[in-house]
Amino acid sequence: MLLRDNHTNRFDEVHNHVKDSAEKLGSSGSALFIIHNDKIVTESYFGKQSSVALARDVKADTQFHIASVRKAYIGFAAAYAIYNGYFSIDDPIRRFVKDSSLSAYEGVTIRHLLTHTHGLRIVNGDLISEYKPGESWAYRGPSIELLAAIIRKTTGRSVADIVREQVIEPCGFQSTEWLKMSQPHAKIAETIRDPDNLFWTETDITDGSGMNMYVSAQDLALFGYLHLTEGRWGGKQLIPRDIIQMATSIQTPNPKLPMHKNGFLWFVKEKNYDFSQIGDTVPKGSYQLLGYTNVALLVIPEENLVAVRMFNRYGSPEGYDYLNDIRSFGDTVYKCSIKTNTIQ
């Protein structure tokens, strides 16, 4: 194992927060994994992989559907492609897409796709532009498909290919994969969801473009740790530092506008907004991704900390304040980390 265990009860409040959230969400199983000051300080697994009788316990190798947290891997692949000269961040996307005559693409760049400022939206099956690129922010799906397609077209490799070659294989991750959802295996946690949820999709495409990435809490935390160390792994510079810095620093085209700030799809803390997913007390420069399965990956460089929480609940019950829940999670992690550093 890359990091040694130094389990402590100083993050018990985070442990209790995750258990409480799991109960409120109606999740059958959950997990928590925290790395602090280059040690594993908390590793907890709760419940079952599904709600059926005799379901497998959630274990260290249990893989959860990470939903939008997969965008951290897409952002990595984009940073890799830019670093290696396949395209630049401010290239217009019309240079790479077949439908270059579509007016919706006018003015949209790679940067806009990566920071959710592209303005593209699908309405009644048509791609439209709902605002001028760079002038607003909206969390829309078309950017991900476009990024994956552009990465494949320019590099000749898929997002999954790049992540496997650069991260999964050299780091020895055993529980990170794009799953053929028609062929689940024993380590996969069933995703509990409302039967009429319109956002749920299933696919057997494993090129990294689909919403079918399943990862264990440990592997996800270690992927975050690779970002925290700016690419260092096992005492060596595994990933060029520039790739990680590019992905995790603010890349929003007009940072003065009062809206979410993003790196390469990561949400990056700049200041507090009512609509932010990162806790109010979490320091500037921290970055996070939250998935629709309520999975979260939070990195706080100021505290040398990575925190991961996993649930197998897609969406949330009516009236559940998911933004308050995720902000509270981050604030609790930060409070415990400060206490720990003070005691040490």
Side-chain angles (χ1 to χ4, degrees):
M1 182 63 184
L2 177 75
L3 303 175
R4 69 181 181 89
D5 293 343
N6 186 30
H7 291 176
T8 173
N9 61 4
R10 293 170 189 163
F11 288 87
D12 279 359
E13 193 173 345
V14 185
H15 176 102
N16 294 335
H17 191 287
V18 170
K19 287 190 71 175
D20 184 59
S21 294
E23 183 176 341
K24 291 177 179 176
L25 285 164
S27 173
S28 72
S30 54
L32 171 67
F33 202 102
I34 300 176
I35 300 169
H36 189 215
N37 292 331
D38 308 303
K39 299 179 183 67
I40 301 166
V41 295
T42 296
E43 183 179 4
S44 303
Y45 304 99
F46 318 95
K48 302 286 187 177
Q49 288 186 180
S50 80
S51 54
V52 302
L54 303 179
R56 185 177 189 258
D57 290 340
V58 172
K59 301 178 181 180
D61 63 355
T62 297
Q63 294 171 225
F64 292 83
H65 187 298
I66 65 170
S68 286
V69 177
R70 80 190 196 281
K71 294 173 185 177
Y73 299 84
I74 297 169
F76 173 86
Y80 168 88
I82 290 171
Y83 177 82
N84 286 287
Y86 291 104
F87 52 81
S88 73
I89 189 171
D90 289 311
D91 278 345
I93 67 168
R94 295 183 80 161
R95 183 177 299 174
F96 309 106
V97 295
K98 293 180 179 178
D99 325 275
S100 58
S101 61
L102 286 177
S103 60
Y105 291 142
E106 187 63 39
V108 179
T109 66
I110 299 291
R111 183 187 299 274
H112 294 133
L113 298 182
L114 289 165
T115 58
H116 303 294
T117 56
H118 48 82
L120 299 174
R121 185 180 186 184
I122 296 175
V123 177
N124 297 323
D126 296 322
L127 188 68
I128 68 164
S129 177
E130 60 181 330
Y131 57 80
K132 186 176 179 180
E135 292 194 351
S136 189
W137 184 100
Y139 200 66
R140 309 292 190 202
S143 59
I144 302 305
E145 290 79 7
L146 283 165
L147 279 169
I150 290 168
I151 289 168
R152 179 185 281 280
K153 182 173 183 178
T154 55
T155 68
R157 287 174 291 165
S158 68
V159 167
D161 290 336
I162 292 169
V163 173
R164 272 194 293 267
E165 293 166 6
Q166 299 296 312
V167 177
I168 295 174
E169 291 176 0
C171 292
F173 292 168
Q174 299 296 312
S175 300
T176 299
E177 66 180 306
W178 289 268
L179 178 76
K180 288 186 177 181
M181 295 177 78
S182 66
Q183 301 174 23
H185 53 74
K187 296 193 299 180
I188 297 300
E190 178 191 1
T191 305
I192 297 172
R193 63 191 188 280
D194 298 331
D196 58 349
N197 191 303
L198 298 177
F199 299 106
W200 177 258
T201 59
E202 295 188 4
T203 180
D204 281 355
I205 298 172
T206 58
D207 64 2
S209 63
M211 197 171 61
N212 58 332
M213 195 172 189
Y214 286 76
V215 187
S216 69
Q218 176 178 285
D219 275 14
L220 187 58
L222 289 174
F223 184 65
Y225 183 71
L226 182 64
H227 285 68
L228 177 65
T229 63
E230 296 187 328
R232 289 189 63 80
W233 188 266
K236 299 179 181 179
Q237 193 69 41
L238 176 65
I239 306 297
R241 183 176 289 107
D242 288 350
I243 288 179
I244 304 298
Q245 290 179 340
M246 196 188 313
T248 59
S249 58
I250 292 174
Q251 302 291 350
T252 300
N254 189 349
K256 293 182 180 180
L257 292 177
M259 59 186 184
H260 283 296
K261 302 301 185 295
N262 291 91
F264 280 21
L265 300 169
W266 288 94
F267 289 82
V268 182
K269 178 69 175 286
E270 176 221 18
K271 60 177 65 174
N272 292 326
Y273 295 109
D274 290 341
F275 47 76
S276 177
Q277 65 166 242
I278 302 180
D280 288 350
T281 63
V282 176
K284 181 178 178 180
S286 302
Y287 46 97
Q288 176 177 276
L289 273 167
L290 170 67
Y292 199 60
T293 45
N294 300 281
V295 169
L297 168 57
L298 171 64
V299 181
I300 308 178
E302 185 176 297
E303 289 297 306
N304 193 25
L305 183 145
V306 177
V308 162
R309 71 176 199 179
M310 308 291 249
F311 301 105
N312 67 331
R313 174 66 158 90
Y314 194 72
S316 54
E318 186 176 352
Y320 189 80
D321 190 340
Y322 78 94
L323 279 179
N324 178 68
D325 176 66
I326 188 59
R327 284 195 292 258
S328 176
F329 171 75
D331 287 336
T332 304
V333 168
Y334 181 59
K335 179 173 69 174
C336 292
S337 71
I338 291 174
K339 287 182 179 178
T340 300
N341 282 338
T342 300
I343 293 171
Q344 290 176 343

